[in-house]
Amino acid sequence: MKWAVRGARVACVLGTLYAMLAGAKPSFTAETVRERARELAHRPYQAPASTLPSAYAQLSYDQYRDIRYRPERAWWRDAGLPFQAQFFHPGFLYTSPVTLHEVEGGNVVPVRFSPDLFAYGSLVKELPPAPPDSFAGFRLTYPLNRPDHFDEVVSFLGASYFRALGRGNVYGLSARGLAIEHGAPPGRGVPLVP
């Protein structure tokens, strides 16, 4: 639930920022996201249904890495904004759908998946003709270190993976958090060392 609310907040902020930079006064605001989060918080969690064809879920690590977003197809590239969005292809470990929306003039518009947004390398064998109906996440790019190059600034992939960079930084070790004996009385958890 938390990642869905965070994703909704990020989408709202991006959409509102896009609308403001484009000169529109949005009717979809941060309060819209708060109201939706309150509504969802009162319902039991329901995992999103995945309609991802098994050929995508069965991609190997190397095959998945051989699918690249085409930078020339970056979202907002031709809008004259200082940032752009790129999307992650579903497959491999990332089989849960991440539905993305854009706020245009105060209206919520879905961002539709298209295979044309991606370059499929030689390791990717024939995929089903029916493409996925959603993404696995997104990244934002910005000319952080050089004016002629859009660096990845922040990425959200799947339900629990995100990373961000500052000017002059590079990505280091990539890991997910793990809590051991969190909230359990001392001695009640599983020991890490015998």
Side-chain angles (χ1 to χ4, degrees):
M1 169 61 185
K2 288 182 181 178
W3 65 268
V5 172
R6 285 187 197 130
R9 285 182 182 156
V10 169
C12 176
V13 169
L14 293 176
T16 302
L17 180 60
Y18 176 79
M20 288 185 331
L21 290 172
K25 183 174 179 179
S27 58
F28 182 88
T29 66
E31 184 56 32
T32 307
V33 174
R34 282 190 283 277
E35 289 172 15
R36 178 74 173 137
R38 278 188 213 105
E39 177 188 319
L40 289 173
H42 287 90
R43 295 184 193 168
Y45 173 74
Q46 185 176 4
S50 178
T51 58
L52 189 67
S54 62
Y56 292 99
Q58 294 170 0
L59 290 171
S60 71
Y61 172 80
D62 291 325
Q63 288 173 316
Y64 184 74
R65 287 189 43 84
D66 209 21
I67 301 173
R68 306 244 187 238
Y69 193 88
R70 296 178 187 272
E72 68 274 12
R73 299 293 309 269
W75 220 248
W76 307 317
R77 182 175 182 202
D78 298 327
L81 299 174
F83 56 90
Q84 299 173 2
Q86 297 180 4
F87 309 115
F88 290 108
H89 198 288
F92 181 51
L93 298 176
Y94 310 104
T95 58
S96 294
V98 176
T99 305
L100 299 174
H101 295 82
E102 179 178 27
V103 177
E104 291 182 359
N107 297 314
V108 179
V109 179
V111 177
R112 304 274 184 218
F113 180 92
S114 172
D116 296 336
L117 297 173
F118 300 92
Y120 297 88
S122 62
L123 296 178
V124 182
K125 305 301 179 204
E126 190 174 330
L127 293 172
D133 56 5
S134 60
F135 299 96
F138 69 97
R139 72 170 57 117
L140 296 179
T141 62
Y142 175 82
L144 191 63
N145 296 303
R146 297 185 345 225
D148 62 333
H149 177 73
F150 279 75
D151 300 289
E152 181 177 307
V153 178
V154 64
S155 293
F156 298 90
L157 180 58
S160 62
Y161 184 82
F162 62 93
R163 60 187 185 181
L165 280 179
R167 182 169 280 133
N169 297 134
V170 296
Y171 288 125
L173 179 66
S174 180
R176 288 180 169 87
L178 174 64
I180 305 296
E181 293 188 10
H182 183 70
R188 301 276 303 199
V190 177
L192 293 177
V193 182

